[in-house]
Amino acid sequence: MMTFTSVCSRFIHSACVAVTLAATAVFAALPHQVTAQVTAEKNEHSHQVQAGEVVYIPVYSHILQGERASRQPLSSTLVIHNVDPSASILITSVRYYDHTGTQLKEYIDVPRSLGPFASASFLVDIKEDHGGVGANFIVEWQAAEKVVSPIVEAIMSGGTGTQGLSFLTRGKVIGTRP
């Protein structure tokens, strides 16, 4: 004998299957380009289309460890990935700041072009300890047309003896250019 709960469960399951089949049929009828666009818009990891941005990326020249808060020096590698499949972007500025907000270094003198799927990296050496635990990069980029926003990340790594550590931070857009 079927209970009310099992009848409802079967009905809900059947309804979900019907909705899934209907959605599949609708997407199959759409042109491929439209389907890809709809899918990208729903993807939580998709990047907004922009013509330029200012990106803040936290980095750490050292972290504090243990009860004595001993300093663990770290190197930081900033990486900018142009994820647009058909357009170049122009990196116009890569600035490194310390924990007080004082600019320590500008990494590029002239704008640098990144083609589709190309990457650029910038290193803060493990011996540079002025940045502190609140250091950061500000990256500015632009494009001649609207493009998919690049992925901007920093990888920190360090260690002593046989132990090492590494971790990643992602950039946050703090300004846009239409």
Side-chain angles (χ1 to χ4, degrees):
M1 184 169 167
M2 295 182 78
T3 66
F4 177 74
T5 305
S6 65
V7 170
C8 287
S9 177
R10 285 186 180 189
F11 174 76
I12 291 171
H13 176 73
S14 296
C16 288
V17 169
V19 168
T20 301
L21 290 173
T24 303
V26 168
F27 279 126
L30 291 173
H32 176 70
Q33 193 173 20
V34 173
T35 304
Q37 180 181 355
V38 169
T39 303
E41 288 171 0
K42 290 185 178 183
N43 182 350
E44 67 183 74
H45 299 294
S46 67
H47 294 275
Q48 300 254 335
V49 174
Q50 294 292 336
E53 293 175 326
V54 178
V55 184
Y56 173 93
I57 309 91
V59 295
Y60 305 85
S61 66
H62 66 270
I63 57 172
L64 303 176
Q65 284 187 302
E67 291 178 20
R68 296 186 204 165
S70 63
R71 289 179 127 181
Q72 175 65 56
L74 300 168
S75 67
S76 299
T77 305
L78 173 76
V79 183
I80 304 165
H81 302 273
N82 179 6
V83 296
D84 194 284
S86 59
S88 294
I89 64 170
L90 193 63
I91 302 169
T92 57
S93 181
V94 177
R95 297 183 306 274
Y96 178 61
Y97 292 85
D98 71 8
H99 63 100
T100 68
T102 302
Q103 183 177 329
L104 299 177
K105 184 173 182 176
E106 169 64 65
Y107 276 79
I108 60 174
D109 296 329
V110 295
R112 180 172 172 183
S113 180
L114 277 184
F117 299 131
S119 298
S121 63
F122 305 90
L123 175 69
V124 178
D125 191 83
I126 197 165
K127 295 174 188 166
E128 190 290 306
D129 197 25
H130 300 302
V133 295
N136 62 80
F137 278 99
I138 299 294
V139 171
E140 295 185 43
W141 68 270
Q142 61 187 27
E145 59 187 299
K146 289 196 173 200
V147 298
V148 178
S149 294
I151 295 174
V152 185
E153 300 174 315
I155 302 118
M156 274 62 59
S157 61
T160 55
T162 59
Q163 294 187 354
L165 63 105
S166 62
F167 56 96
L168 173 77
T169 61
R170 282 227 165 162
K172 178 175 179 60
V173 175
I174 60 173
T176 59
R177 296 188 178 98

